[in-house]
Amino acid sequence: MTLTASEQIPISLNGKSGTVQSGATILEAAREMGVEIPTLCWASNLTPANACRLCVVELEGSRTLVPACSRVCEPGSVINTESERVALNRKMVLELLDSTNDLSESPELQALIDHYGADASRYDEPSTMKDDIKVEDDLFIRAYDRCVLCYKCVDACGDEAQFTFAISMAGRGFETRVSTEFETPLPESACVYCGNCVGVCPTNALQFKAEFDLRQGDDWDPQRQTSTSTICSYCGVGCTLDIHTQDNEIFKVTSPSDHSVTAGHLCIKGRFGWQYVQPPTRRPSSPDMSS
Amino acid sequence: MPNVPDLKFSDVVPEPDERSVIDDLVSVPPIEEKGERWVLGGIARGQEARHLLLPGLHALQDTRGWISPGGLNYLAEKLQIPIAEAYGVATFYDLFQFEQPDTEGPLHHVCVDPICEMGNSASYIAELRSKGHRVHESPCLGQCERPPAAFVQIKGGDNRDMTEATGRSIRIATADPKRLLRRITEMQDIDLESYERHGGYQALRLAIQEGGARVIEMLKESGLTGRGGAAFPTGIKWEAVARQETSTKYVVANADESEPGTFKDRVILENDPFALIEAMTIAGISTGCEKGWIYIRGEYTTATRRLEAAIDEAALAGRLGQGILGTSFRFDLEIRCGAGAYICGEETSLFNSIEGYRGEPRSKPPYPTDSGLFGQPTIINNPETFLNVLEILTYGVDSYRSTGTPESPGTKLFCLSGDVAEPGLYEAEFGITLRELLARAGGGVGELQAVLLGGAAGTFVDSRHLEIPLTFEDVRAHDMTLGSGAVMVFSTKVNLPSVLARFAKFFRDESCGQCVPCRIGTVRQHEVLTQISRRGQSPDRNELLHDIATVMTDSSICGLGQTAASAVQSAIRLGLLEKSDT
Ligand SMILES: Cc1cc2nc3c(=O)[nH]c(=O)nc-3n(C[C@H](O)[C@H](O)[C@H](O)COP(=O)(O)O)c2cc1C
Ligand code: SF4
Ligand code: SF4
Ligand code: FES
């Protein structure tokens, strides 16, 4: 049987039967049926990397659990997203991450850690993802001790958005890090400072410098923050910008990931070209804004 | 107007010798000269030539003893591969260094996995170091029958394993009737003439005569299953690729053999290289693939040299290339050498490695028969599997099925190492018991404590399991595995908790790092086992090990993570850790 894109196929999810569009992933099917599945490396604007395994579910007939974010439903798939086995696996993924990374700036993960009862204190002197914070320019910083190796920044810099390929996974196993060639500082690398990597990072490992300065100065206060939507005025494409401010000072610019033009990705001008509305203290300086 | 390629490379330049090895390897002109841009010629060029990245990295490493920024930059620019990606690929492999070594002398890789540790690798390392040599403590080098195993990387590229030094002293014992190892035990010379005198190329002639459909039929009737670990039916794999209507499909031999305790493929390739070439050619003409790739472990230097020589000789004699044996069939073979990464034996990781990407496994489905090497339908088999194909064609299905059991027909190669009198490669009919197998190797040395079957990803058994017939069905029924055919024997003199900690270290080091359960789980498993081997067991450490095992087994992407707890959990079930409380 060949399926056409518009065909509906029957599945069973947590004991309830339903139909979903053929080609839908288990994650999409679950959301349609009102069931939440946690994700970390998945993003609506990137191809699934399948790496974190937080979204695993039981699929009848499969020896192992399967990642909901990328596994496509088949006619008659019997899926369980809530079993004890699933819960234990998710708890362990969270526990392993929490024992390795600084997740203090990832509120969603913190909530999941509580929900699944992950307890990183079970590990005696665990090796961690130690790394010094890289502050190499005025635009953004990299704190890889928070990096969960979700591949999002690499994909956004590469063939999923920017086509600049300034960063890659380097090394192997527990030593794997996101890196430029020979760990060259970003300003000397191929980086064009679009900031799309920062835009997709789920753990604040990549962070706009203005936000970083506020946090370092102990002045970070979500209560005093607002976000304003506007259209970028640099060219005629019409990218939507969300300007995030604290006390009327811009600390970051994003674009909605479901936006039809940007899919959440911007260029250096939209992302960082806001100094003309801002006092010069936080002016971006080094990178070339002409490209 | 100067043409600026869209990819940004760095300004560092290669040394003249680096430039010249890369120019020899990559014949395309630099991209600027043609005025192509990345988006036009560049992407096509990048895809077409990217598979030269791994050979290029080898060439740089061999030339200067390390990979310099200038050399890598030049290679990446020539191949139009983003420089950060090229670095990401290069740093995936253990055999590449990124800092200039302080001495020009060779780098000795000495195996420190349990069998070689029992074979005194520690004192060998100390001796090398005391003489001022550079030493890298290596995972299993696939030479477990002659511990301590070593592999020497030499600037200039004349790398060496131990075969040439030790000769053929390894014990090779074939089954009765003689099967897979027949030629190896009988042939004096490794050349085409000798190969044909011992029955070589009869199977290919038969395959040509009978046609591909009949060959596949015979494989299915024979009941042959893959010998690389997963025991998938070979006939079904070949049939799936034969049915694919695309014009480009591939045959791949997975000779990355890196499972601790396993050395059978090395012995085959070193001593019977034409057999692999012939069997791959049969696969090619029977399923419509015109190109085959052999991915061979980078540390297997003797096997690589002999295989290269055999391919050249076969091509000269019209056994490869256009018009094989006077037919209209075409089949070409290309070798790719790995560079120190166990994970590259996983089939999809192996494809990525050949293609010039990081050796990270792909998510399955799609399976290789649909989308394998370069995204094309691909047959991938282990060398031992290929050897069985020759036997089935030469002697017929009935004769093949007359050995072994109905569900596990034929013979199996077992790699015996550790505390046995005569370590070596043994061919035996399926159904032999472990007791009989050990007896063939002269019996155990000392009092038997445990046997690890199937390699680090395998299962421990002990004296209670000696009568179990070694067949796929029997081991499955006992929650064991034959895996790669490794049989590592440990007497009571061996400290098993520390053996387990070392195998755990192996997985920690060899995880590709892609998925969380394996990347971090293997580290935590190693940490907990190290604590147990120092301070003994406790209920919460066992529970922790169990939880780590669960997430690795259930949620990892590939077989590495899924089996990384297998040996440890089997040892706990047998109570082997309890003896540790000191
Ligand atoms: C971590 C890992 C390492 C592997 N290494 C090898 C190997 O060195 N050689 C091999 O033939 N198969 C290896 N395999 C199995 C392959 O993925 C694949 O199943 C096999 O090559 C198929 O050939 P077969 O059907 O002839 O067994 C490995 C699998 C995993 C998960
Ligand atoms: S830096 Fe952020 S986006 Fe990049 S891999 Fe790490 S966690 Fe993911
Ligand atoms: S299980 Fe391990 S080796 Fe396999 S993809 Fe995951 S991290 Fe890589
Ligand atoms: S969200 Fe599915 S594997 Fe990460």
Side-chain angles (χ1 to χ4, degrees), chain B residues 270-430:
Chain B
E270 284 178 354
N271 300 295
D272 201 6
F274 288 98
L276 180 65
I277 297 171
E278 181 184 357
M280 291 183 75
T281 311
I282 292 170
I285 66 163
S286 303
T287 62
C289 309
E290 297 198 330
K291 174 108 195 220
W293 298 76
I294 301 172
Y295 189 93
I296 185 165
R297 180 168 190 187
E299 294 90 339
Y300 282 180
T301 53
T302 308
T304 305
R305 283 187 198 112
R306 292 184 186 168
L307 197 57
E308 277 167 352
I311 288 175
D312 288 348
E313 206 188 335
L316 267 178
R319 304 289 191 275
L320 284 174
Q322 179 62 56
I324 289 170
L325 288 178
T327 64
S328 61
F329 288 115
R330 170 178 200 105
F331 191 68
D332 295 298
L333 272 178
E334 190 154 341
I335 296 182
R336 275 293 176 275
C337 293
Y342 166 66
I343 188 56
C344 288
E346 195 284 333
E347 53 197 14
T348 58
S349 160
L350 183 150
F351 300 148
N352 279 342
S353 178
I354 292 182
E355 290 176 26
Y357 292 89
R358 285 165 59 77
E360 293 171 355
R362 303 173 185 167
S363 160
K364 288 189 269 191
Y367 293 96
T369 48
D370 289 321
S371 173
L373 184 60
F374 301 108
Q376 303 296 338
T378 302
I379 291 175
I380 177 163
N381 279 124
N382 177 266
E384 184 186 347
T385 313
F386 278 117
L387 241 63
N388 274 279
V389 172
L390 299 183
E391 301 311 299
I392 291 163
L393 288 180
T394 310
Y395 298 104
V397 172
D398 290 343
S399 158
Y400 184 80
R401 294 198 65 104
S402 71
T403 52
T405 66
E407 279 181 71
S408 305
T411 60
K412 176 83 196 86
L413 299 182
F414 292 99
C415 312
L416 271 72
S417 64
D419 289 324
V420 281
E422 295 176 60
L425 184 61
Y426 292 80
E427 176 175 13
E429 284 188 35
F430 278 106

Side-chain angles (χ1 to χ4, degrees), chain B residues 155-231:
Chain B
K155 187 179 155 185
D158 190 22
N159 302 340
R160 281 176 195 274
D161 56 26
M162 292 157 49
T163 299
E164 265 132 21
T166 54
R168 252 221 238 171
S169 59
I170 154 170
R171 172 147 166 80
I172 299 171
T174 182
D176 183 26
K178 294 180 172 186
R179 293 291 186 190
L180 303 176
L181 298 178
R182 181 177 51 85
R183 277 179 307 272
I184 298 186
T185 49
E186 290 174 357
M187 279 191 314
Q188 295 304 312
D189 304 303
I190 305 166
D191 55 29
L192 187 57
E193 203 258 87
S194 169
Y195 179 66
E196 297 209 319
R197 198 148 29 80
H198 288 86
Y201 280 106
Q202 279 177 21
L204 177 61
R205 288 199 165 83
L206 198 100
I208 290 170
Q209 196 185 313
E210 298 281 327
R214 179 66 199 134
V215 169
I216 290 168
E217 231 11 77
M218 285 177 79
L219 291 190
K220 285 167 71 180
E221 286 164 12
S222 75
L224 172 63
T225 56
R227 304 294 197 243

Side-chain angles (χ1 to χ4, degrees), chain A residues 27 37-43 48-56 66-70 150 152, chain B residues 515 557:
Chain A
L27 181 66
I37 296 175
T39 62
L40 174 57
C41 67
W42 176 87
N50 274 308
C52 74
R53 316 306 275 186
L54 191 57
C55 67
V56 287
V66 301
C69 65
S70 62
C150 71
K152 285 180 180 173
Chain B
C515 65
I557 294 178

Side-chain angles (χ1 to χ4, degrees), chain B residues 343 346 359-361 510-519 522 552 556-562:
Chain B
I343 188 56
E346 195 284 333
E360 293 171 355
E510 298 299 330
S511 164
C512 84
Q514 186 179 201
C515 65
V516 170
C518 171
R519 169 167 57 90
T522 53
M552 289 199 293
S556 293
I557 294 178
C558 86
L560 188 150
Q562 288 162 14

